[in-house]
């Protein structure tokens, strides 16, 4: 990992040097980059701008590689501030030349793209990256994405998505870091830093966009774009912290979300866009709408027409509009009528220009057209992608068959995801090419093809395939092999934006495939490649081992092959709870307690006596058919070795709010191979002025241990990190008693106690 980071730094420096040498000379004034200097350049430019030019800056269009001639006049008139979906360095330079040389004020255009989990080298989808519990690899993945994308002239990406995702039906969770506010916060911040570095004017830096502000993940029923009903307290305790963390990490931009919360669409929500983002958090970047989310406020029934939509967006605090043109068309009239003030417009333009200056676009608007060749799919990038995919894999079950050893002389490779070059890349792949994807089938042949007989019989051609004719062939292949490797899951189109599911079982005839294979009598290793948690209780029960991979990207195959044969040891942990049934949703670990929590001895449906008395089952909070537990809890994941936690000690049992609690413990590798454990620290605030979650993740650490090795580990937890928005809507630590766990997942460990005075 360290070596990769070093090589990344080297590539980055090499590319920077290249850009500096060829730096453009067209600009009359070179910035010293200080904030004061940038503010004075913003004001000076603003004072020269006409209203049309100002509205131009607030206008983002999508070109998708369309005719430059058609955009020419608008760009030359200064009526476009940002273009979405240009990816070719030559075209980007041509477009930029029109803006810089032909427009009256020469304001460069900000080129943007959805670079979400890699540009050409595709990394695991963000939910998979979250499973690594490794901010360093997530940082490096974002750095690789930025180096590749900026080599073509893209300087702004719409990522990270730091929405809290607690519903596996919601296809968009693929782009999230999962259900937990703390994990999402640190992963989002690492991603922002990876894209932007500490210096946005570095030519390999790409402006980040924290999205979708806010509450999008709480869409009712897990159906995309749907309404949310999040109270202000939930917003502040659960949905806002990850955005605050992105803002604190320096995210240059924010994007409004599609949902209406309690009746107010985010694009028209002054409370979140101004009161919270600007006044409380002092955010000084700019806010862009989501795609046409300004004009969609008409569909919401929140705006009468596009005039109303433009006015409400700007008054709420939006600075730039993505593609729906209500600003350029309607704001001149709104200013005339006094519905929007020049001050509103000037503030929006200031925010946009500030970021363009910080990006160094005025001093260095062009990209070197030969950079891409070096940057795209660089060896170090592929290596980083493989490392991330390796750490992202989660071992859900293992009866000892994994890792495969030399006794395994033949394997049957079956299932539709064994050789799915396109589908293993996952959602949000506009630019990655499937020809570069290495599948498990290819990688396994490469790794062990010289000593293991590989019988490939997919059984089904794609994940939704209902044609069962091939299953018998897969079964016959299984009969001939020592071990069966079944690659099942979801095609990439089944998750991502607008790709929600009401049924999250394995699709098509995959359940039948696993069932048939499990009856062959050979050890069945099920490898799942999916965009979301799935309801796989049956398949887990029928398999000897289950290795779960959220769409792992370009290098998923080699990562999986290494894990199966023990060249790497699984260390991923679940960033989302896996339900047994869809009917358990919402199910997440950090829920509040009911007045009637389970006691653990509840009687489930098959054991209820005939004509049992109405209250004989205990009147507790659980499902008669599903109980109260998930299939797998948040934070869960096995290794090829085992770990033992001991001597968990607190620096004090009684602390004040400005002290720091130190939690130390010993972690021992009690197995026979080296492995990495993600140690997790959870806290429960036992009594609050409002009810508090039964557990909250507060810290985690990846600890690598050789067999028999023990390490002393320490977490530092400032008591101020226990603050929450209380009954008076104040952010405070309430004195009282707390429980604390250190464990390998959110359901394990024994509590220790401390109190805060
Ligand atoms: C809509 C999506 O919600 C958003 O995340 C994305 O960045 C924009 N489209 C731009 O493609």
């Amino acid at each position: 990992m360290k070596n990769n980071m070093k090589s990344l730094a080297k590539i980055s420096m090499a590319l920077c040097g290249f850009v500096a040498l060829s730096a453009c000379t067209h600009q009359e004034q070179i910035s010293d980059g200080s904030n004061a200097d940038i503010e004075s350049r913003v004001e000076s430019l603003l004072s020269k701008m006409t209203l049309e030019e100002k509205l131009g800056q607030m206008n983002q269009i999508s070109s998708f590689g369309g005719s430059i001639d058609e955009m020419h006049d608008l760009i030359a008139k200064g009526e476009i501030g940002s273009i979405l979906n240009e990816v070719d360095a030559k075209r980007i330079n041509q477009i930029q030349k029109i803006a810089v040389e032909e427009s009256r004020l020469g304001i460069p255009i900000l080129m943007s793209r959805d670079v979400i989990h890699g540009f050409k080298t595709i990394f695991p989808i963000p939910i998979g990256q979250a499973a690594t519990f490794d901010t360093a690899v997530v940082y490096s993945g974002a750095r690789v994405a930025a180096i590749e994308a900026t080599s073509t002239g893209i300087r702004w990406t719409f990522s990270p998505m730091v929405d809290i995702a607690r519903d596996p039906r919601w296809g968009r969770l693929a782009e999230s870091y999962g259900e937990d506010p703390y994990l999402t916060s640190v992963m989002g911040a690492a991603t922002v830093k990876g894209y932007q570095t500490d210096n946005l004017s570095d030519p390999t830096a790409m402006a980040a966009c924290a999205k979708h502000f806010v509450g999008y993940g709480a869409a009712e029923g897990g159906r995309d774009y749907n309404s949310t009903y999040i109270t202000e307290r939930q917003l502040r305790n659960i949905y806002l912290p990850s955005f605050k963390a992105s803002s604190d990490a320096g995210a240059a931009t924010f994007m409004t979300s599609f949902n209406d919360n309690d009746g107010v669409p985010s694009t028209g929500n002054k409370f979140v866009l101004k009161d919270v983002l600007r006044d409380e958090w002092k955010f000084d970047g700019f806010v862009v709408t989501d795609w046409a989310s300004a004009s969609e406020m008409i569909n919401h029934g929140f705006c009468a027409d596009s005039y109303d939509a433009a006015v409400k967006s700007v008054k709420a605090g939006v600075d730039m509009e993505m593609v729906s043109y209500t600003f350029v068309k309607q704001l001149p009239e709104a200013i005339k009528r006094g519905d929007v003030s020049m001050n509103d417009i000037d503030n929006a333009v200031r925010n946009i220009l500030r970021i363009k200056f910080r990006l160094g676009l005025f001093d260095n608007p062009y990209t070197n057209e030969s950079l891409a060749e070096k940057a795209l799919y660089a060896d170090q990038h592929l290596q980083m992608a493989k490392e991330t995919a390796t750490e992202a894999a989660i071992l859900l079950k293992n009866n000892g068959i994994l890792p495969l050893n030399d006794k395994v002389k033949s394997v049957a490779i079956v299932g539709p995801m064994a050789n799915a070059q396109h589908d293993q890349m996952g959602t949000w792949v506009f630019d990655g090419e499937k020809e570069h994807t290495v599948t498990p089938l290819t990688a396994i042949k490469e790794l062990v093809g010289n000593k293991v007989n590989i019988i490939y019989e997919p059984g089904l051609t794609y994940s939704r395939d209902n044609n069962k004719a091939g299953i018998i062939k897969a079964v016959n292949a299984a009969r001939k092999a020592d071990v069966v490797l079944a690659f099942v899951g979801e095609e990439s189109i089944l998750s991502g934006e607008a790709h929600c599911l009401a049924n999250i079982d394995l699709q098509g005839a995959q359940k039948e495939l696993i069932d048939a294979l499990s009856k062959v009598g050979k050890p069945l290793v099920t490898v799942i490649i999916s965009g979301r948690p799935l309801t796989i209780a049956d398949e887990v029960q029928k398999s000897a081992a289950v290795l779960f991979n959220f769409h792992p990207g370009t290098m998923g195959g080699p990562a999986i092959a290494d894990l199966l044969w023990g060249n790497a040891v699984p260390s991923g942990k679940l960033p989302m709870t896996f339900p047994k049934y869809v009917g358990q949703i919402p199910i997440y670990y950090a829920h509040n307690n009911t007045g009637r929590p389970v006691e653990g001895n509840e009687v489930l449906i098959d054991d209820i006596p005939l004509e049992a008395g109405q209250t004989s089952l205990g009147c507790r909070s659980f499902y008669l058919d599903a109980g109260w537990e998930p299939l797998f809890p948040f934070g869960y994941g096995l290794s090829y070795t085992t770990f033992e936690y001991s001597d968990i000690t607190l620096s004090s049992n009684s602390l004040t709010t400005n002290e720091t609690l130190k939690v130390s413990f010993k972690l021992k590798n009690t197995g026979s191979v080296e492995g990495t454990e993600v140690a997790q620290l959870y806290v429960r605030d036992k009594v609050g002025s409002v009810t508090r979650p039964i557990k909250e993740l507060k810290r985690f650490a990846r600890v690598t241990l050789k067999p028999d090795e023990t390490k002393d580990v320490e977490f530092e937890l400032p008591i101020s990190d226990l603050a929450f928005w209380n009954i008076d809507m104040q952010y405070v630590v309430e004195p009282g008693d707390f429980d604390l766990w250190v464990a390998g997942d959110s359901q394990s460990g024994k509590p220790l106690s401390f109190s805060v005075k």
Side-chain angles (χ1 to χ4, degrees):
M1 153 64 77
K2 279 201 188 103
N3 284 343
N4 274 326
M5 300 270 240
K6 266 195 218 142
S7 352
L8 269 184
K10 267 196 234 148
I11 305 183
S12 182
M13 275 161 55
L15 293 174
C16 293
F18 214 29
V19 173
L21 285 179
S22 60
C24 322
T25 52
H26 64 282
Q27 213 47 44
E28 39 359 299
Q29 186 199 358
I30 297 291
S31 166
D32 73 8
S34 70
N35 273 345
D37 170 61
I38 285 176
E39 291 310 310
S40 92
R41 291 180 80 186
V42 167
E43 291 308 319
S44 145
L45 188 52
L46 191 64
S47 69
K48 295 180 198 136
M49 292 171 77
T50 63
L51 175 62
E52 286 67 32
E53 285 164 342
K54 289 176 183 173
L55 297 182
Q57 288 306 304
M58 297 168 72
N59 184 28
Q60 180 183 56
I61 65 160
S62 172
S63 65
F64 275 120
S67 150
I68 296 185
D69 286 347
E70 275 172 27
M71 293 185 269
H72 184 282
D73 286 357
L74 285 177
I75 300 171
K77 281 195 271 170
E79 291 184 6
I80 297 175
S82 172
I83 297 182
L84 179 65
N85 296 328
E86 284 292 340
V87 287
D88 177 74
K90 208 175 249 155
R91 278 178 60 93
I92 286 182
N93 279 347
Q94 278 170 14
I95 293 169
Q96 200 65 294
K97 196 161 188 277
I98 303 172
V100 171
E101 293 185 3
E102 296 184 38
S103 75
R104 199 175 69 87
L105 296 168
I107 304 176
I109 289 184
L110 181 48
M111 298 293 177
S112 60
R113 181 71 159 174
D114 286 289
V115 180
I116 309 292
H117 47 110
F119 179 61
K120 292 283 181 182
T121 304
I122 300 301
F123 280 67
I125 54 175
I127 188 77
Q129 295 189 30
T132 65
F133 280 67
D134 187 341
T135 50
V137 297
V138 169
Y139 169 89
S140 301
R143 197 79 285 281
V144 166
I147 290 170
E148 292 197 357
T150 56
S151 76
T152 71
I154 295 163
R155 294 299 303 280
W156 181 23
T157 180
F158 303 115
S159 167
M161 180 177 124
V162 288
D163 296 313
I164 301 304
R166 293 181 163 181
D167 193 327
R169 294 169 298 182
W170 189 50
R172 205 100 206 238
L173 74 89
E175 199 185 341
S176 81
Y177 299 112
E179 74 182 46
D180 185 63
Y182 175 70
L183 183 62
T184 303
S185 296
V186 295
M187 290 300 175
T191 306
V192 168
K193 289 275 185 207
Y195 290 143
Q196 298 194 166
T197 73
D198 286 329
N199 173 15
L200 213 48
S201 71
D202 179 319
T204 72
M206 178 162 74
C209 184
K211 70 185 188 185
H212 305 85
F213 201 51
V214 60
Y216 188 41
E220 273 196 316
R223 182 163 52 78
D224 213 358
Y225 315 124
N226 209 0
S227 299
T228 61
Y229 296 91
I230 309 170
T231 67
E232 183 181 342
R233 186 170 298 103
Q234 287 175 319
L235 207 56
R236 288 185 178 279
N237 282 331
I238 298 161
Y239 294 91
L240 285 172
S242 49
F243 285 93
K244 170 82 163 55
S246 284
S247 170
D248 290 347
T253 71
F254 266 54
M255 183 188 290
T256 63
S257 56
F258 283 128
N259 58 299
D260 63 316
N261 186 45
D262 194 18
V264 183
S266 298
T267 304
N269 191 331
K270 175 184 164 295
F271 168 67
V272 291
L273 297 179
K274 278 196 172 157
D275 302 354
V276 174
L277 184 60
R278 299 282 176 191
D279 298 347
E280 293 181 26
W281 299 354
K282 310 291 175 221
F283 173 73
D284 70 356
F286 72 85
V287 175
V288 65
T289 69
D290 201 342
W291 187 283
S293 68
S295 60
E296 285 176 12
M297 291 197 291
I298 304 168
N299 284 348
H300 275 290
F302 187 73
C303 296
D305 50 28
S306 65
Y307 177 91
D308 200 17
V311 170
K312 284 197 172 125
S313 305
V314 172
K315 296 300 281 180
V318 169
D319 303 308
M320 184 183 279
E321 178 180 30
M322 188 186 286
V323 308
S324 53
Y325 302 101
T326 71
F327 288 15
V328 274
K329 288 190 188 144
Q330 306 295 347
L331 290 178
E333 179 63 17
I335 289 167
K336 251 191 238 152
R337 290 197 214 162
D339 288 334
V340 166
S341 71
M342 264 323 282
N343 200 30
D344 291 329
I345 302 296
D346 283 351
N347 277 338
V349 178
R350 273 190 190 99
N351 295 334
I352 295 164
L353 292 179
R354 182 177 300 123
I355 296 305
K356 289 192 173 183
F357 276 111
R358 283 185 187 161
L359 281 162
L361 279 181
F362 287 85
D363 303 327
N364 205 356
Y366 300 114
T367 190
N368 185 308
E369 288 169 22
S370 61
L371 281 182
E373 204 187 323
K374 255 194 186 174
L376 307 181
Y377 299 114
D379 285 349
Q380 294 91 331
H381 297 183
L382 294 170
Q383 187 51 32
M384 238 358 275
K386 179 182 169 190
E387 223 164 277
T388 311
T390 306
E391 287 192 12
I394 307 137
L395 184 64
L396 295 178
K397 176 180 179 182
N398 188 13
N399 72 356
I401 182 73
L402 290 182
L404 301 176
N405 58 29
D406 286 347
K407 286 188 201 138
V408 176
K409 300 291 181 209
S410 60
V411 291
I413 296 187
V414 301
M417 297 303 287
N419 198 29
Q421 278 190 303
H422 171 81
D423 288 310
Q424 78 177 48
M425 288 194 290
T427 185
W428 273 131
V429 177
F430 279 154
D431 301 295
E433 294 126 320
K434 70 174 186 179
E435 296 69 30
H436 288 259
T437 302
V438 188
T439 65
L441 178 66
T442 305
I444 291 170
K445 282 183 181 163
E446 173 111 334
L447 186 70
V448 294
N450 58 348
K451 52 181 182 183
V452 176
N453 180 25
I454 293 164
I455 313 159
Y456 174 53
E457 194 58 70
L460 300 167
T461 50
Y462 59 107
S463 70
R464 288 164 295 151
D465 191 354
N466 270 309
N467 181 351
K468 297 177 190 150
I471 293 183
I472 185 66
K473 290 189 196 159
V475 165
N476 285 336
R479 288 198 180 112
K480 291 183 212 140
D482 296 335
V483 171
V484 185
L485 301 177
F487 291 83
V488 293
E490 286 186 324
E491 297 149 75
S492 56
I493 195 64
L494 298 184
S495 60
E497 183 178 351
H499 301 142
C500 303
L501 289 170
N503 173 359
I504 58 170
D505 286 349
L506 286 170
Q507 299 288 333
Q510 294 184 100
K511 281 179 85 68
E512 287 88 335
L513 175 66
I514 295 292
D515 185 58
L517 293 169
S518 72
K519 292 178 178 147
V520 173
K522 301 290 174 69
L524 171 62
V525 176
T526 299
V527 180
I528 299 177
I529 296 181
S530 160
R532 59 160 60 72
L534 297 170
T535 39
I536 43 170
D538 272 358
E539 291 69 33
V540 171
Q541 194 254 321
K542 289 171 180 163
S543 306
V546 178
L547 184 68
F548 193 96
N549 306 266
F550 291 108
H551 289 131
T554 307
M555 296 298 283
I560 291 171
D562 273 1
L563 288 161
L564 292 175
W565 266 269
N567 293 346
V569 176
S571 60
K573 298 275 187 170
L574 293 179
M576 264 184 97
T577 303
F578 274 41
K580 290 185 250 187
Y581 306 102
V582 159
Q584 288 178 293
I585 300 169
I587 182 166
Y588 49 91
Y589 85 93
H591 60 85
N592 291 353
N593 224 5
T594 67
R596 294 184 174 191
V598 285
E599 291 176 333
N601 53 0
E602 283 66 24
V603 178
L604 299 191
I605 196 157
D606 290 338
D607 298 321
I608 300 173
L610 288 181
E611 300 189 5
Q614 174 62 25
T615 57
S616 65
L617 305 181
C619 299
R620 298 276 128 187
S621 181
F622 69 103
Y623 295 104
L624 292 179
D625 51 353
W628 59 94
E629 284 177 317
L631 180 60
F632 296 109
F634 175 87
Y636 173 85
L638 303 171
S639 171
Y640 293 155
T641 186
T642 44
F643 301 98
E644 187 183 277
Y645 292 79
S646 66
D647 297 346
I648 304 173
T649 315
L650 307 185
S651 57
S652 167
N653 292 104
S654 170
L655 298 100
T656 59
T657 51
N658 48 22
E659 286 183 300
T660 292
L661 174 66
K662 290 188 179 155
V663 183
S664 47
F665 57 98
K666 291 192 187 304
L667 189 59
K668 181 172 182 193
N669 180 343
T670 47
S672 53
V673 293
E674 179 174 311
T676 300
E677 166 74 328
V678 178
Q680 301 157 45
L681 171 72
Y682 294 90
V683 171
R684 175 175 182 182
D685 187 346
K686 291 177 80 170
V687 180
S689 59
V690 292
T691 54
R692 306 286 297 125
I694 60 154
K695 270 185 189 178
E696 290 178 288
L697 180 70
K698 290 291 174 188
R699 291 290 181 274
F700 58 83
R702 286 178 63 88
V703 185
T704 301
L705 295 163
K706 298 204 163 37
D708 266 339
E709 188 184 356
T710 300
K711 276 188 186 163
D712 291 313
V713 188
E714 186 175 273
F715 287 124
E716 289 203 357
L717 182 68
I719 295 300
S720 54
D721 279 19
L722 302 175
F724 67 101
W725 294 84
N726 74 359
I727 188 75
D728 301 318
M729 209 58 90
Q730 286 168 339
Y731 188 64
V732 290
V733 181
E734 290 187 342
D737 294 335
F738 292 78
D739 279 345
L740 177 149
W741 296 256
V742 174
D745 65 64
S746 63
Q747 268 186 1
S748 304
K750 291 209 178 72
L752 276 81
S753 300
F754 65 96
S755 62
V756 173
K757 302 256 171 291

